[in-house]
Amino acid sequence: MITFANFSVWRFMPWGIALFIIGTWSTKPLFGIDNQALVAAASKASEAKVFSIRSFGAVGDGVAMDTNAVQETIDACHDSGGGVVRVPAGDFQIGTIILKSDVTLSLDYGASLLGSTNAADYPTDNLSRPREGDAHCLIYAENAKNITIEGLGVIDGRGTHENFPRNRKGGKNSGVRPRLMRMERCENITFSGVTYKRPAFWGLHLIDCKNIHFNAVTVRFRNNNFNNDGFDLDGCENVLIENCDISTGDDAICLKSSLNPCRNIVVRGCRMDSNTAALKFGSSSRGGFIDVSVTNCYFHNCPMGAIKLQSVDGGRLENVTISRVVMKDVGCPLFMRLGNRGSTFGERRESPPVGTLKNIRISDVVAEVTVEDRAKAAEAVYKNLKVDTTPGVTDNEKSKAGPIMITGIPGHFIENVILENIKFSFPGNGTGKDAKRDVAEDIDRYPEQFFFGVLPAWGAYIRHAKNIEFTNVQMTIRDADQRQMVVLDDVEGFVER
């Protein structure tokens, strides 16, 4: 594994940790797997036993409850030593199902697994309680190995705001909002081809899992309900996410670390849009984030910001490379925050000490920062919200379409950050009053950039940081702005080249 013991050495490494070796989930390199091995693996897979859910009584008319039939198929496949659980064309309504080791859940084109709209179909008796949120989910796995979800079908939680309202004041489903999927402590997991839609809460939530591959997955969660994250990876290791198209209400790809670190993560060739962030580390950050590479991606229509790297609950956020990214119609393009919220996620233990955020390289990135269209904003959660008609650009809108923000807290600096070959266009609109604004420290607050309000810079605001380098960073504004382009506050070793 490449190490970053010396900043002067690290800054010249062209691709950082993107060349790490995680095997074909065994001993072969991630890049450069020979074709013969792939053909042999495909041939072996074609010989697997196939168990059709219709053979176990699944109806598939969108009305009958097929939970038991699907679960019995999974159990039979697992008990026979593994194989393929086939979901043929049809609309199969289910409640919670539990995947098991050595099972491939394969959805034909035209096949849909539809989440029940009745909270009673999501029992939690056999499910562990997660560190964040409630236990309810549509698809669950725990301590399992060699699971694949593949095919050209759809898994649709039908978790709309109308079916699963967020409030807990009685009425339909009493505030229960199931995740679309939760996997705990699983290994060797593959997601390929399937389209995921409409969770009531988070989407695909993996906790303390290892050896994960997402390929050509489609996610359609936007403007469905509250908190509709795409991929939530909490304490996961050895992850490859590639060729995915992710549209979400909340964070598209969110790395979390409520206990253990996220480590050895590669994201490449993905398209993402979100009401909040395309790529986010945190806010859960106790375990940290180590050795992450993101390259050749397109982030668009992200009004609350595009890239957010946050360490606020202790832990190390270190050794991250982001390169070859195009961002269009986004809010704040880059937010880096080292804070001291110190969450213990409900466990009785001392709050952790302040973590670290260092050794970050961001290169070859283009961004067009825009103020969110108000009609789109009104659709962000659910429809029929009033459109703001305040003339001009409000402070709230300006703060969401703000500059680069890199900020630690007094005595705890963000360190060793390189921005290279950057071209960012900002909307402007800053006033003389904005240029004189004081920025609160908010040391222990939930980390969201616009919470800091309108910043006194239009291009970059950097505070409590050291060894920050801008090389060929081009920042422009499209409208008049009375703020400075860059504002530095308690910064050691800022270099522009």
Side-chain angles (χ1 to χ4, degrees), residues 59-77:
V59 176
D61 63 357
V63 178
M65 284 302 301
D66 289 319
T67 310
N68 291 338
V70 173
Q71 189 63 60
E72 288 173 8
T73 313
I74 292 169
D75 295 345
C77 179

Side-chain angles (χ1 to χ4, degrees), residues 18-84:
L19 299 179
F20 74 82
I21 294 176
I22 60 176
T24 61
W25 316 130
S26 57
T27 59
K28 293 189 177 181
L30 171 64
F31 310 118
I33 302 170
D34 70 77
N35 287 341
Q36 284 186 331
L38 291 174
V39 171
S43 178
K44 184 176 181 181
S46 69
E47 299 171 0
K49 297 178 183 177
V50 178
F51 300 77
S52 173
I53 63 172
R54 286 199 186 275
S55 298
F56 288 79
V59 176
D61 63 357
V63 178
M65 284 302 301
D66 289 319
T67 310
N68 291 338
V70 173
Q71 189 63 60
E72 288 173 8
T73 313
I74 292 169
D75 295 345
C77 179
H78 168 74
D79 292 344
S80 72
V84 175

Side-chain angles (χ1 to χ4, degrees), residues 412-435:
H412 298 274
F413 284 10
I414 292 176
E415 302 180 50
N416 306 345
V417 177
I418 294 176
L419 272 62
E420 183 175 21
N421 301 331
I422 304 296
K423 190 174 183 179
F424 287 176
S425 171
F426 294 94
N429 301 308
T431 66
K433 178 182 177 181
D434 296 334

